[in-house]
Amino acid sequence: MPETEVLRERSEMDPQYQWDLTPMYRDDAAWEQELAALESRLEQLTAFAGTLRDAAAIRAYLDAATDFGRTLSNLYCYASLRRSEDTRAEAGQRTYARITAHYVQAMAAISFAEPEILALPEETLRSIVQDPQMAEHRFTLENLLRQKPHTLSAPEEKLLATFGEALGAPAEVADNLQDADLVFDPAQNAAGETMEVTGSNYIMLQMSPDRTLRRSAFASFYKGYRQHINTFAAAYAGAVKAATAEASVRRYDSSRAMSMAGENIPPQVYDSLIEAVHRHMPAMYRYVALRKKILGLDELHYYDVYAPLVSEVKVRYTYEQAQQMVLDAVAPLGEDYVRMVRRAFAERWIDVYPNKGKSGGAYSSGTYDSNPYILTNFTGTLDSVSTIAHEMGHSLHTWLSNHHQPPQYADYTLFVAEVASTVNENLLIEQLLQKKQEPAMRLYLLNQYLENFKGTVYRQTMFAEFEREAHAMAERGEALNPAALNALYRRLVQEYFGPELVLDEEVQYEWARIPHFYRPFYVYKYATGYSTAVALSEAILREGEPAVRRYKEFLSMGGSAYPLDELRHAGVDLTTPAPVDAALQKFERILDDAERTLARL
């Protein structure tokens, strides 16, 4: 979609480029029919209360709960996807609200199970874990037993689950404010023409070679956030307080410890990441200085950090070209992988273009019984192509897990969720670099590669440090008001990007636009995932079949093992700083290449 094209209503757009949700539910009426049957199925589950005393009863409950969870997941996913199509639509908001309420009700109703199982004497419970009847659920029970010290009594768990919808309200407030209510002033380019500014096209405008447009869009965008900064701060403070309160009730040392315990990740992995990135800050300062030099600027501002280093290269791609680029990129992963990507394109797993009211950004979402759907907002840039490759990595990870694991072990953890997506991105950029040797085009591609590192390792680690400090402030009883949050974010931007970057006043409001902050301690996984992906993609291109085999085995493991163990199977050990250090050494080599290429221009 060209920069100047005004967003259209969804109904005005070609359905060929919209996802096909009919394999999930024929229509909304079919969804309603399945929702109507949910209550009686929930009653069957709650009838297990008070009976979970032996292996047979526990096995029966876990089988029934798994089956119920599949249906609930289908209902929730469909409603979420439909809502993303147009967040302004009242019908979609109502449907999503209904299934969210049902989800919370269901979680509250079955919250008796884990406490009831864990209330058994430890010797009895360990015997049940080893019972042959439990073979298909053994890892689930072993993982449950590990969390026994932090599981509350049945009434307490039910009470906490009942508050689930209320505790999720801050995220809903922030989402609705950003996606539906926040309106930005038009931006102006150097020719005096006006451009619409939206959450979907903001980064694209920041990537424009027109500095007047970048500066105007930057001012417009953060003016919108500044006008609502008190609401955003209240919403985020509410989300942080909800997390810290639950951690305290569950007897964790901190909200961070609680978030990481679910995946059995030791806190030192988080701290080691931040320490490693700090060790490699000089490389980022060097990159910022290179940007300033190439762009020929006396001052480098925040609205310059996405500007193309080679403005005369104006590369735009059609969606059809993007499809072929992704297929070429993943060819090293084998014909079976390529075949599945072709199927995703052919069967309309992807919602391609932005439309009015559509959720911004991109994601992959699906269930054990559905296709893994992809939402994107394709604008024809190389970044848009990379986004398709990224989300396709998520979707193929989901597909392979679903088709190699039973439903109780199909869902992989968030810790490994960004690995497959980033492997695809890296394969794309490496494949393009092999083809494009002309200096200007090569520098353009190296810029994209450097931006991937900047955005996924440096920035996400900066976000992780922001989260660590914000939650620690709340746990110390300090106020998370706009002044405190703005000051914290501004300091971190200065530390991560160095003295060459001019910090405009608007920079301090950027934290308010980061939706992942409402999923506590998630963003660090982008950085660890990217570091892992660098190791895996390098191995795939260097070793070929042995590395591809290990990688596909990893993609097929779902949630059948702890994530650190799954990554070790693939050949990466994140309990050491080595993968992060190696990734940032790769960043430095790309930077070297960019400097050599610049000398050839």
Side-chain angles (χ1 to χ4, degrees), residues 150 244 247-248 250-258 267 475:
H150 306 287
T244 56
S248 176
R250 293 193 179 281
R251 300 181 291 275
Y252 284 100
D253 292 337
S254 65
S255 53
R256 183 174 67 138
M258 179 179 70
E475 287 162 347

Side-chain angles (χ1 to χ4, degrees), residues 198-488:
T198 68
S200 297
N201 75 358
Y202 172 68
I203 293 299
M204 182 185 71
L205 295 175
Q206 290 297 284
M207 295 171 67
S208 170
D210 184 338
R211 197 178 192 214
T212 300
L213 177 60
R214 297 200 306 268
R215 181 170 57 243
S216 178
F218 176 77
S220 167
F221 195 66
Y222 287 110
K223 175 186 174 184
Y225 280 89
R226 183 180 69 246
Q227 290 173 334
H228 297 280
I229 198 65
N230 289 301
T231 303
F232 279 114
Y236 183 57
V240 172
K241 289 174 183 176
T244 56
E246 182 179 354
S248 176
V249 168
R250 293 193 179 281
R251 300 181 291 275
Y252 284 100
D253 292 337
S254 65
S255 53
R256 183 174 67 138
M258 179 179 70
S259 294
M260 298 181 73
E263 296 171 306
N264 201 26
I265 308 295
Q268 58 262 36
V269 170
Y270 197 105
D271 295 328
S272 177
L273 166 68
I274 293 174
E275 291 164 7
V277 172
H278 274 266
R279 285 196 298 273
H280 293 271
M281 290 293 200
M284 177 50 62
Y285 300 166
R286 184 176 148 209
Y287 177 45
V288 170
L290 179 66
R291 281 195 143 272
K292 181 179 177 182
K293 177 182 177 180
I294 294 176
L295 294 172
L297 300 174
D298 293 330
E299 291 184 339
L300 188 82
H301 289 254
Y302 209 59
Y303 48 79
D304 299 317
V305 298
Y306 293 105
L309 294 183
V310 189
S311 59
E312 63 266 26
V313 176
K314 300 184 184 299
V315 183
R316 306 290 293 185
Y317 305 99
T318 66
Y319 177 56
E320 287 69 27
Q321 288 173 319
Q323 290 177 314
Q324 189 58 52
M325 291 166 70
V326 172
L327 289 166
D328 292 344
V330 301
L333 298 178
E335 181 53 39
D336 56 339
Y337 193 98
V338 172
R339 187 164 53 251
M340 287 308 306
V341 175
R342 289 188 187 278
R343 179 175 173 182
F345 290 138
E347 295 183 0
R348 291 172 48 203
W349 294 6
I350 307 174
D351 205 82
V352 181
Y353 295 112
N355 57 253
K356 287 186 177 181
K358 182 177 174 179
S359 291
Y363 64 73
S364 171
S365 180
T367 71
Y368 193 76
D369 302 300
S370 79
N371 294 322
Y373 290 99
I374 293 172
L375 178 139
T376 186
N377 285 275
F378 185 78
T379 56
T381 63
L382 180 57
D383 187 62
S384 287
V385 180
S386 187
T387 296
I388 293 175
H390 179 103
E391 299 304 335
M392 191 64 72
H394 284 308
S395 288
L396 268 290
H397 191 177
T398 298
W399 180 269
L400 288 167
S401 292
N402 286 350
H403 286 76
H404 287 85
Q405 298 295 331
Q408 63 268 30
Y409 295 142
D411 289 340
Y412 47 85
T413 68
L414 292 175
F415 190 81
V416 301
E418 296 302 326
V419 172
S421 54
T422 311
V423 165
N424 276 13
E425 282 193 77
N426 289 354
L427 291 176
L428 173 66
I429 201 74
E430 290 285 356
Q431 189 262 346
L432 293 173
L433 282 169
Q434 289 175 10
K435 289 184 176 180
K436 307 290 184 181
Q437 296 300 327
E438 188 273 323
M441 188 63 192
R442 185 172 187 83
L443 188 57
Y444 174 82
L445 293 169
L446 290 169
N447 174 34
Q448 179 73 16
Y449 216 165
L450 291 167
E451 284 297 293
N452 289 347
F453 272 89
K454 182 192 79 176
T456 314
V457 180
Y458 283 96
R459 266 176 66 84
Q460 298 299 333
T461 302
M462 181 180 76
F463 294 162
E465 192 166 353
F466 176 85
E467 276 197 287
R468 186 179 69 175
E469 297 307 310
H471 282 249
M473 288 166 63
E475 287 162 347
R476 292 193 299 265
E478 299 175 20
L480 293 182
N481 54 36
L485 293 168
N486 293 348
L488 171 60

Side-chain angles (χ1 to χ4, degrees), residues 26-44:
R26 182 179 63 257
D27 50 29
D28 290 352
W31 182 89
E32 292 281 357
Q33 185 176 358
E34 184 150 73
L35 179 66
L38 198 65
E39 189 170 342
S40 63
R41 295 184 60 188
L42 182 58
E43 290 175 358
Q44 294 171 13

